[in-house]
Amino acid sequence: MSSELDFESRLNRRTIITGAAGGVLFSGLVARLVQLQLFEGERYKEIANENGVKLDLAPPIRGAIYDRFGVPLASHRQAGRVSIVREQTPDMDATLAGIARHIDLPMDERQRVIQQARSQASFQSTIVKSELTYEEFARMTLLAADMPGVRADMAATRSYPRGRDFAHVLGYVAKASSDDLSRLTENASPEEASLLARLFRHPDMRTGRSGIERAAEGWLRGEPGFRRLETNAAGRVIRELESDDLAPTPGRDIGLTVDAELQRAAIDRFGDESGAAVVLDIETGAILAFVSTPAFDPNDFVNGISYADYNALRENDRSPLYHKAYDGTYPPGSTFKMVVATAALEAGINPDQRVYCNGYYRFGNRTWHCWKRGGHGNVDMHWAMKGSCDVYFYDIARKIGVEHLADVSRRFGFGQVWDLGLTGGRGGTVPDDAWKRAALGEPWYEGETLNYGIGQGYLSASPLQLALMSARIAAKGRLIEPYIIGEGPRPDKPIPYAEPLDPDHMQRMMDGMYGVTSEAGGTAWRSGDLGLGGPRLAGKTGTAQVRRISEAERRSGVLKGDEIDRRLRDHALFVAYAPADDPKYAISVVVEHGEGGSSTAAPVARDILATAIRRDSRAAARWQQTASASGSGNGGGNP
Amino acid sequence: MARAARASAIRFEDRTLAGTLGELPWGLVLMLITVACIGTAALYSSTFTNPEEAGLPARHAVRFAISLGIMFVIALVPIGIWLRAAWPAYFVTLAMLVGVELFGLTRGGATRWLQLGPIGVQPSEFMKLALTLALARYYHNNLTFQSGRFFIHLPALFIIIVPAALIFKQPDFGTTLALIASGAVLIFLAGLYYRIIAAVFLAGIASAWPIYMFVLQDYQRERVNTFLAQLTGQAVNTLDDGYQIEQAKIAIGSGGWQGRGFMEGTQAQLDYIPEQHTDFILTVIAEEFGFLGATGLLALWAAILGWGLVIAGRSASLFGRFAAVGCVATVAFFILFNVAMVLGLVPVVGVPLPLVSYGGTVMFTTMACFGILLSVHIGRDERLSTQGMI
């Protein structure tokens, strides 16, 4: 019986121990609650408060770009757009079809929207159409109220109010591709790189693809801000939290030296011709007009250009995508004769020494022709320049030699890239013996020096360099440097030192250029009058050969332009400065396949220069004074 | 005592239904209802932002009402019938487990279901109750006052191991643990020598290291590492394994003393915790009702389970005592393991919090356990023959 009692009490004891063990375990759990909630509670509360807060990047407003008078060339505007949220839309197809009844939305666009919406989280919005017209936006704003999940709102979009006018200078922006992103994050730390990657995923974010937009990306972009959003674990935004200190920092503006109206006038003056023009302020080297025509409309690229449209631009034989004034290089032709003449003066050749031109020049067993088939007769340097006598320049070029010619060319600004702070830019070629050995593996032949003398052969230069040459002459040898960014990230690349040009020599060049446009026998004497009742221009014509003229053709009389396929016609060139008596503006004009420098390029240059002077209040006031003082329309101070 | 004496004077056959109902421990039932209400409120708070889950709290309440009815039905079945049903229940369930092994349905990577006509059943759930009854029956028949011997426990071990192994193979780690834990409690209750218990403990501790080094796969070892790291407060990869438990700790910790207020918990409202309406429902309570709320719920459960042990202690029959302790142990295992898991003290194994977590199976199992417990209470004075049907 006692053992039965033992048995009973052991059972009871073990029941109690079981309960006690459970009690101990429960106490352990309570102890853990004490630790987490009472001792570490404050810390966890902080974490919990920030847990649901996501920092959403808010894209900065990109800096604007202005012309010299503050006219906006690149800015932003508010554009209407429609977007759709998948999870709030009962039937995507029907809703999109409904939208398509009110705004233009083709079937394939609708498919794209549906595909894109399916590829992202159901609460994220998909842009159905951006760049709505005002009417479309007004209509969608009304309709969106009755369409669940559809939203019409405004977003800041990069805009180029002057359209094509500054396409090549400004470039354009586009959504960052993976290539763009790897370029932009090349030198960034991993944190910066991931921030940039996040930023550029934002649908409103764009990056510069070419021109200043690309070169000055860091200046224009600004710093992203953050929006504090309360989100749930799946990333759905519950609400936006207030915060003042997290606003984006807008990008910095850029002021260019260009004059939008002058640019417009210059482009209009080209009409259907393709070509380039550069107008420089001789005082400062500021670029006032930087024309390459035809051009593309950068606005088309902001939201992505269609493949067909892009291909049409690419295949256009007038190369609208190409920056002819900066990236295009042409044989300078006769516009180069001032350089040759300067080299001759430096080499000690007497400018009054005459050379007899009978229409051709013999050297070795070959014949070089003058453009004037009957010849110029006996010409000195001044006459040779204004008549553009090739024979004279064959002769002095041979006397000067290639090395000295190359040296003087470089001092005029040829053969080097002028970094303006935009993408692209080519320096052309200033050939010499070393260059030819490196490029072609052959020594320089003296016969090639003759071609050099008339600006043909391997020599090539961009319209910017031609304008710069003209400006350096008109500045009496001061080695001015071109620039286009007035306020903003000026490139600080050191410009190699060059020996200045002799002012006396430059005066002779100016006299020669004045002769071209204003003296009997000048190749462009009809273009000397700016039509402003006073100031004249001084310039030099040029023709850049696109193909060699064969001996057979020459015998049969060179084919007239109309008979030659346009693409084979010579380029017409003209460099000039004005007013002739007090140079303010230098210009170069290239009319592609325009054939004659005097017939096509010179009138264009004249009209652009006239506009430049007309738009210059200081200059206008001054020449009006001069005109009334001298009492005559001929204000030219040159002999 | 007076009431017990009066009850013992009446033979079972003489009792009226009203009289029997009047004898039920209504305080215990009231506490169970309170727990279920807390669970419904927590569910409401954690699901009301999501329209797809809007019906969950109501379904939870309805399920509890049905389970409550089932509990009463089980309670009113005389304890002698449960005694006689113990072996058949155990072997039928065991046969069903074998059936699962052979023809079971696989859902979500685990083979747990058996298709019986139109309904799919989960035999492992029945086994929790059946095993308790079987062990109670076994010790009722075999445990006598002189049996301190070791060998008497070997068949009990066998009764536990066979279904546990079958369920482990499904795999269902949580249920396996539940069976082993409640079975171990019953073996302990039956008087297994302490020196053997100590030896088992030592062997378990000694084998931990070799198992970690040589048995576990790399990914399993990784999980153990993560678990140990967060246990000691080290930073863990919050996007990976550690995410759920880290978010749970943030939710619980941020509750503080009094909680953030009903439906005010950011962690719960913003869906930061996966499974927050099932296994991790305690995070909602701890976050929104704080330390007071969480310990309140634990205290309520401790009271319920304690009451269960009192019922076990008052049972005149061994079967009643073992069945009651087994039921208490089964429910206690769920509570302890679930809370420890949510608090980051044990690795995450899918074990729900009874009556609070959303989910039908555990609710029915729990209430069936309490049904047996109440049946033991009603039949506490039955001495019950050791000669059963089987």
Side-chain angles (χ1 to χ4, degrees):
Chain A
M1 213 44 207
S2 70
S3 59
E4 196 167 348
L5 271 179
D6 278 357
F7 176 64
E8 275 291 330
S9 66
R10 190 174 66 198
L11 263 180
N12 283 334
R13 203 165 57 236
R14 292 237 164 170
T15 308
I16 291 164
I17 290 170
T18 304
V24 168
L25 291 176
F26 266 84
S27 307
L29 297 180
V30 171
R32 176 72 166 171
L33 280 172
V34 168
Q35 182 208 347
L36 289 178
Q37 296 195 288
L38 304 188
F39 293 124
E40 298 175 3
E42 285 304 315
R43 184 170 69 88
Y44 282 118
K45 197 175 278 181
E46 271 172 40
I47 299 174
N49 285 342
E50 286 304 313
N51 207 3
V53 177
K54 291 274 180 300
L55 288 180
D56 189 31
L57 284 170
I61 298 284
R62 201 172 170 84
I65 303 174
Y66 300 102
D67 88 338
R68 65 187 302 123
F69 299 115
V71 175
L73 307 180
S75 57
H76 65 274
R77 71 189 152 78
Q78 296 292 319
R81 64 182 180 188
V82 195
S83 49
I84 193 165
V85 178
R86 179 157 60 95
E87 68 167 13
Q88 294 167 10
T89 312
D91 182 346
M92 285 282 281
D93 287 300
T95 307
L96 287 173
I99 294 174
R101 273 199 294 278
H102 301 285
I103 64 173
D104 179 39
L105 193 66
M107 202 61 208
D108 55 338
E109 272 297 294
R110 277 143 70 180
Q111 289 304 323
R112 178 196 63 80
V113 171
I114 289 174
Q115 266 173 15
Q116 199 189 326
R118 283 200 186 124
S119 70
Q120 53 195 27
S122 64
F123 54 82
Q124 288 183 327
S125 78
T126 311
I127 293 175
V128 176
K129 191 178 184 186
S130 48
E131 298 290 313
L132 296 181
T133 64
Y134 181 76
E135 198 186 321
E136 285 177 326
F137 181 65
R139 218 178 289 162
M140 284 317 302
T141 310
L142 277 177
L143 289 164
D146 297 328
M147 292 177 148
V150 177
R151 208 169 110 91
D153 62 357
M154 300 285 251
T157 306
R158 189 64 158 175
S159 141
Y160 302 98
R162 311 295 291 198
R164 293 161 196 272
D165 291 4
F166 290 95
H168 303 104
V169 175
L170 301 176
Y172 58 88
V173 296
K175 275 204 79 85
S177 66
S178 56
D179 284 352
D180 288 329
L181 206 56
S182 55
R183 171 170 55 81
L184 289 165
T185 56
E186 210 167 30
N187 295 317
S189 69
E191 295 83 48
E192 286 168 350
S194 78
L195 184 73
L196 280 176
R198 259 181 78 193
L199 178 61
F200 279 112
R201 271 200 299 272
H202 194 285
D204 294 341
M205 199 61 199
R206 297 287 184 276
T207 185
R209 274 277 174 74
S210 70
I212 290 179
E213 292 276 29
R214 173 159 167 179
E217 168 74 23
W219 179 280
L220 291 166
R221 187 194 302 143
E223 294 297 324
F226 295 92
R227 291 191 305 155
R228 278 160 53 88
L229 299 175
E230 186 174 64
T231 61
N232 70 4
R236 184 198 309 274
V237 175
I238 308 296
R239 66 196 164 108
E240 185 170 345
L241 303 169
E242 294 291 323
S243 53
D244 308 323
D245 51 331
L246 301 169
T249 312
R252 285 168 288 182
D253 295 344
I254 290 177
L256 297 186
T257 59
V258 292
D259 174 356
E261 293 306 321
L262 178 62
Q263 179 96 353
R264 176 77 263 165
I267 290 168
D268 285 347
R269 184 59 187 80
F270 269 91
D272 291 338
E273 300 283 2
S274 80
V278 180
V279 179
L280 290 177
D281 183 326
I282 289 169
E283 185 93 29
T284 61
I287 296 174
L288 300 176
F290 208 16
V291 173
S292 173
T293 186
F296 57 91
D297 187 346
N299 289 305
D300 295 343
F301 286 79
V302 175
N303 286 316
I305 189 168
S306 76
Y307 187 73
D309 289 350
Y310 186 69
N311 246 14
L313 285 173
R314 256 183 41 184
E315 283 164 13
N316 187 326
D317 66 352
R318 295 178 186 220
S319 324
L321 293 172
Y322 194 53
H323 193 181
K324 301 180 185 83
Y326 195 36
D327 298 337
T329 56
Y330 305 85
S334 299
T335 61
F336 190 67
K337 282 172 180 164
M338 277 83 76
V339 178
V340 182
T342 304
L345 291 175
E346 288 194 4
I349 289 169
N350 182 354
D352 299 327
Q353 178 85 50
R354 289 170 185 258
V355 171
Y356 186 73
C357 166
N358 56 4
Y360 60 89
Y361 186 81
R362 282 195 184 281
F363 176 71
N365 56 359
R366 278 192 60 195
T367 303
W368 277 261
H369 291 270
C370 184
W371 67 270
K372 198 169 183 179
R373 295 181 75 196
H376 287 83
N378 244 342
V379 288
D380 63 5
M381 184 180 279
H382 183 74
W383 269 93
M385 277 210 284
K386 75 179 182 188
S388 201
C389 176
D390 291 339
V391 168
Y392 178 87
F393 283 94
Y394 293 142
D395 185 62
I396 61 170
R398 199 160 68 82
K399 287 175 184 159
I400 299 159
V402 60
E403 297 305 325
H404 185 47
L405 262 178
D407 175 54
V408 175
S409 299
R410 292 191 189 100
R411 281 154 62 200
F412 272 101
F414 293 105
Q416 83 167 83
V417 179
W418 291 96
D419 185 0
L420 300 176
L422 13 159
T423 52
R426 285 177 62 189
T429 307
V430 172
D432 57 15
D433 185 57
W435 171 85
K436 200 184 170 199
R437 283 173 194 276
L440 301 170
E442 282 179 12
W444 187 265
Y445 300 122
E446 200 174 359
E448 290 166 336
T449 312
L450 304 192
N451 270 336
Y452 212 150
I454 60 162
Q456 305 284 3
Y458 303 118
L459 183 70
S460 68
S462 70
L464 174 67
Q465 286 168 325
L466 293 174
L468 182 63
M469 172 193 77
S470 176
R472 285 185 168 185
I473 291 169
K476 299 226 169 64
R478 198 157 49 82
L479 297 188
I480 54 175
E481 290 153 9
Y483 69 98
I484 195 165
I485 293 177
E487 288 164 48
R490 297 273 287 272
D492 55 354
K493 214 182 200 173
I495 298 199
Y497 171 80
E499 184 84 10
L501 298 152
D502 187 325
D504 293 337
H505 295 168
M506 291 305 105
Q507 187 59 52
R508 279 192 180 275
M509 297 306 119
M510 290 166 74
D511 293 348
M513 287 169 77
Y514 185 76
V516 169
T517 58
S518 302
E519 289 173 11
T523 52
W525 62 272
R526 273 182 306 236
S527 301
D529 188 352
L530 287 165
L532 298 172
R536 297 181 68 81
L537 67 82
K540 179 73 193 81
T541 56
T543 304
Q545 277 181 18
V546 171
R547 55 160 208 162
R548 296 196 89 80
I549 299 170
S550 72
E551 280 300 315
E553 278 170 348
R554 196 177 294 281
R555 272 195 298 278
S556 69
V558 180
L559 294 168
K560 279 276 164 267
D562 294 349
E563 301 154 37
I564 311 175
D565 181 22
R566 179 183 172 275
R567 273 172 297 176
L568 301 178
R569 285 184 226 156
D570 294 343
H571 299 314
L573 275 64
F574 196 69
V575 296
Y577 63 89
D581 59 334
D582 181 16
K584 287 273 179 224
Y585 305 106
I587 190 172
S588 70
V589 168
V590 175
V591 179
E592 285 193 328
H593 312 295
E595 287 201 286
S598 61
S599 58
T600 52
V604 171
R606 177 195 63 204
D607 292 348
I608 296 172
L609 281 174
T611 307
I613 291 171
R614 219 184 280 117
R615 288 187 55 72
D616 182 341
S617 52
R618 287 172 303 131
R622 197 192 49 76
W623 64 251
Q624 264 163 2
Q625 259 175 13
T626 318
S628 54
S630 66
S632 86
N634 189 352
N638 294 56
Chain B
M1 252 352 248
R3 204 174 61 176
R6 181 164 44 86
S8 64
I10 308 165
R11 281 196 48 79
F12 183 81
E13 290 76 25
D14 301 335
R15 288 182 186 172
T16 61
L17 181 64
T20 311
L21 284 178
E23 252 184 74
L24 285 176
W26 285 102
L28 181 69
V29 175
L30 209 61
M31 284 196 282
L32 289 175
I33 293 171
T34 310
V35 171
C37 287
I38 292 171
T40 309
L43 269 178
Y44 180 74
S45 176
S46 83
T47 58
F48 89 105
T49 49
N50 189 345
E52 286 166 30
E53 296 177 339
L56 295 195
R59 275 208 291 281
H60 186 75
V62 168
R63 269 185 198 155
F64 177 72
I66 294 169
S67 307
L68 200 63
I70 291 173
M71 178 189 80
F72 284 126
V73 171
I74 293 173
L76 293 176
V77 173
I79 185 75
I81 294 180
W82 289 120
L83 174 83
R84 284 192 283 276
W87 286 126
Y90 176 78
F91 285 110
V92 168
T93 312
L94 199 60
M96 277 159 68
L97 280 176
V98 175
V100 168
E101 181 62 28
L102 297 178
F103 332 98
L105 301 177
T106 303
R107 292 183 206 161
T111 312
R112 295 179 190 169
W113 289 266
L114 200 59
Q115 195 70 32
L116 290 181
I119 51 163
V121 295
Q122 214 176 319
S124 54
E125 281 302 319
F126 295 138
M127 186 46 92
K128 287 168 188 165
L129 202 57
L131 178 71
T132 292
L133 293 178
L135 283 173
R137 178 65 202 259
Y138 171 75
Y139 282 122
H140 179 78
N141 277 16
N142 298 291
L143 194 66
T144 56
F145 56 87
Q146 75 268 63
S147 64
R149 285 192 306 246
F150 172 63
F151 294 107
I152 195 171
H153 301 294
L154 280 182
L157 197 61
F158 193 72
I159 291 169
I160 299 166
I161 290 296
V162 173
L166 283 168
I167 292 167
F168 184 73
K169 208 170 165 292
Q170 288 181 350
D172 184 348
F173 194 56
T175 305
T176 311
L177 272 183
L179 290 187
I180 292 174
S182 59
V185 167
L186 291 187
I187 293 178
F188 171 78
L189 185 67
L192 186 67
Y193 293 142
Y194 284 111
R195 57 176 180 275
I196 296 173
I197 296 169
V200 170
F201 258 98
L202 288 177
I205 291 166
S207 63
W209 178 247
I211 287 175
Y212 174 82
M213 285 306 287
F214 304 113
V215 179
L216 292 189
Q217 304 285 319
D218 279 344
Y219 79 94
Q220 290 170 320
R221 212 170 293 146
E222 194 61 37
R223 278 196 181 173
V224 174
N225 290 346
T226 305
F227 168 71
L228 291 176
Q230 69 84 24
L231 197 62
T232 52
Q234 292 167 28
V236 291
N237 184 353
T238 49
L239 290 179
D240 221 29
D241 282 351
Y243 174 81
Q244 187 175 18
I245 198 66
E246 191 59 35
Q247 294 299 336
K249 276 162 74 177
I250 293 169
I252 294 163
S254 67
W257 260 107
Q258 300 184 326
R260 317 203 91 184
F262 184 48
M263 310 216 298
E264 298 290 333
T266 55
Q267 292 288 100
Q269 301 306 325
L270 299 177
D271 301 331
Y272 269 90
I273 305 147
E275 308 289 342
Q276 66 166 347
H277 61 271
T278 55
D279 293 352
F280 277 70
I281 189 77
L282 184 71
T283 60
V284 180
I285 294 167
E287 185 184 17
E288 301 192 344
F289 301 106
F291 178 74
L292 297 178
T295 41
L297 179 65
L298 287 182
L300 203 51
W301 267 124
I304 292 168
L305 297 174
W307 197 320
L309 287 181
V310 170
I311 289 171
R314 285 188 184 154
S315 171
S317 63
L318 277 181
F319 176 77
R321 181 185 287 255
F322 274 86
V325 171
C327 287
V328 168
T330 301
V331 177
F333 167 81
F334 280 113
I335 296 163
L336 289 169
F337 204 94
N338 174 273
V339 176
M341 171 182 94
V342 172
L343 295 180
L345 296 171
V346 295
V348 176
V349 173
V351 171
L353 186 60
L355 305 193
V356 183
S357 289
Y358 180 78
T361 322
V362 68
M363 171 112 53
F364 293 129
T365 309
T366 305
M367 294 308 276
C369 283
F370 282 105
I372 297 289
L373 196 66
L374 295 188
S375 179
V376 171
H377 174 78
I378 292 166
R380 60 192 175 279
D381 295 326
E382 308 261 341
R383 285 223 150 251
L384 297 179
S385 157
T386 52
Q387 309 304 315
M389 255 165 55
I390 301 168

